[in-house]
Amino acid sequence: MYDWLNALPKAELHLHLEGSLEPELLFALAERNGIALPWPDVDALRQAYAFNNLQEFLDLYYRGADVLRTEQDFYDLTWAYLEKCKAQNVVHTEPFFDPQTHTDRGIPFEVVVRGITQALADGERRLGIRSGLILSFLRHLPEEEAQRTLDQALPFREHFVAVGLDSSEVGHPPRKFQRVFDRARAEGFLTVAHAGEEGPPEYIWEALDLLKVQRIDHGVRASEDERLLQRLIDEQIPLTVCPLSNTKLCVFDDMAQHNILDLLECGVKVTVNSDDPAYFGGYVTENFAALHASLGMTEAQARRLAQNSLDARLVR
Ligand code: ADE
Ligand code: ZN
């Protein structure tokens, strides 16, 4: 039914690799690593995917990530995501990973990076999918821990295009990470940040002015601030919007309320992305399909959204 959306060549610019861990793979990795899970089976786990806000989701997401232990696990996770990209004509992807989620559990940084980057290299060679990996800092942790993570990343610098900022937004404004982002930029990294998902428009201003980001991840609350909206339009700053995520996490009550097409029509460079597809009910094509089904997105709008995603790539 949505073959025409699937067929559009697109880039995905907002995808957490840990959020692409499907329940079936989660159970398989738990078994491979001898880890007992609190859910009896895959269906029971899927039923737990009902969230009232970002934090309820994050609690389960960090729990799920605990089955990722070995380089092979990170490879398999990344490869499974790349196969989805291939099936949905995602020709380019710039995924996030959260090293602290793993290093805080005692998994060496290089185990995580080697597994992911080997799969991304194979994805380019065998599937023709280009990619640029983004190292994301966990904003609920202190800035000093982000600094230590940046130290760990420097020997692997050729594997990353940018640093990002994710996890619990409210109470953890971008200004908390100004120094580590300054240092990351001085070391040659580009920058992006989650802002304006649950947090206020001021967080988007801070991400732009203090962290000097190339893109805003989510950013849907920009519509509450006219002056900010005008700046996003004037400077053509891309927003990586994630419609299914926003409804699953109750940022919007339902898809019919989502503001992505209003933003598109007033000239904001919005893109469509899946965020954590294993948890939110779909990959990029399903996100486009939801906009068609609930907001009446036209084919012309879909084409503009797909083109925006290609235009907003950090890696060419
Ligand atoms: N980590 C994974 N998904 C996230 C989201 N939607 N917001 C913030 N942090 C995240
Ligand atoms: Zn996200």
Side-chain angles (χ1 to χ4, degrees):
M1 181 174 174
Y2 286 113
D3 289 354
W4 62 283
L5 290 171
N6 216 54
L8 285 177
K10 358 180 210 308
E12 177 147 61
L13 307 177
H14 185 154
L15 176 285
H16 303 264
L17 285 170
E18 295 89 345
S20 71
L21 177 57
E22 291 286 346
E24 289 77 8
L25 182 57
L26 191 155
F27 268 77
L29 296 182
E31 185 166 352
R32 187 155 97 188
N33 293 323
I35 299 166
L37 294 173
W39 311 280
D41 54 36
V42 165
D43 288 340
L45 174 55
R46 269 221 171 78
Q47 290 200 355
Y49 293 175
F51 313 108
N52 292 301
N53 52 47
L54 174 60
Q55 192 59 51
E56 286 186 12
F57 156 68
L58 289 171
D59 292 343
L60 200 61
Y61 161 90
Y62 294 128
R63 184 122 209 216
D66 182 44
V67 302
L68 296 161
R69 301 280 171 98
T70 67
E71 189 173 317
Q72 187 67 46
D73 297 343
F74 287 95
Y75 183 97
D76 293 347
L77 171 75
T78 307
W79 186 256
Y81 165 64
L82 290 168
E83 288 189 315
K84 290 283 188 185
C85 289
K86 187 70 186 170
Q88 297 202 341
N89 215 12
V90 172
V91 297
H92 181 102
T93 181
E94 295 182 359
F96 303 113
F97 78 117
D98 297 332
Q100 290 158 288
T101 297
H102 313 298
T103 53
D104 284 4
R105 300 183 286 117
I107 313 294
F109 185 91
E110 55 269 29
V111 165
V112 181
V113 171
R114 287 193 210 291
I116 292 173
T117 57
Q118 189 58 54
L120 293 176
D122 288 352
E124 176 149 10
R125 203 167 40 82
R126 293 171 52 193
L127 305 175
I129 297 169
R130 295 209 61 199
S131 58
L133 185 59
I134 302 174
L135 181 159
S136 208
F137 301 119
L138 295 182
R139 70 199 307 159
H140 67 275
L141 298 175
E143 189 189 34
E144 298 73 63
E145 295 185 23
Q147 294 277 20
R148 274 202 291 282
T149 302
L150 181 57
D151 291 336
Q152 291 176 311
L154 292 179
F156 301 91
R157 62 201 313 147
E158 74 274 14
H159 292 299
F160 313 116
V161 292
V163 297
L165 188 63
D166 64 11
S167 191
S168 320
E169 185 181 10
V170 174
H172 302 285
R175 64 177 175 276
K176 176 177 163 187
F177 293 91
Q178 190 174 351
R179 286 143 301 264
V180 70
F181 270 64
D182 279 347
R183 190 158 74 92
R185 285 198 321 281
E187 293 285 355
F189 295 103
L190 300 171
T191 61
V192 298
H194 283 54
E197 177 185 18
E198 286 188 344
E202 292 73 55
Y203 285 21
I204 302 176
W205 285 105
E206 287 184 17
L208 295 170
D209 291 334
L210 304 181
L211 307 187
K212 308 203 185 304
V213 295
Q214 265 74 32
R215 298 192 294 246
I216 295 287
D217 297 314
H218 294 293
V220 291
R221 288 195 59 191
S223 58
E224 297 169 26
D225 180 336
E226 276 298 327
R227 215 162 54 82
L228 175 59
L229 214 45
Q230 198 55 52
R231 178 167 177 195
L232 296 176
I233 296 165
D234 290 346
E235 298 181 19
Q236 286 293 285
I237 296 157
L239 302 187
T240 63
V241 178
C242 308
L244 286 174
S245 166
N246 292 154
T247 51
K248 282 281 183 187
L249 301 186
C250 306
V251 172
F252 295 93
D253 291 341
D254 59 65
M255 198 58 83
Q257 314 284 313
H258 204 290
N259 64 1
I260 183 169
L261 296 185
D262 297 333
L263 291 168
L264 179 70
E265 290 310 324
C266 73
V268 181
K269 202 167 192 63
V270 282
T271 64
V272 176
N273 307 272
S274 68
D275 204 6
D276 302 285
Y279 292 87
F280 299 150
Y283 290 76
V284 177
T285 296
E286 286 80 15
N287 275 271
F288 272 96
L291 300 181
H292 182 261
S294 299
L295 288 173
M297 176 189 66
T298 64
E299 185 176 344
Q301 287 175 320
R303 288 188 185 285
R304 277 160 61 205
L305 289 163
Q307 187 59 51
N308 282 352
S309 72
L310 296 168
D311 294 346
R313 286 172 292 176
L314 296 176
V315 184
R316 300 268 146 191

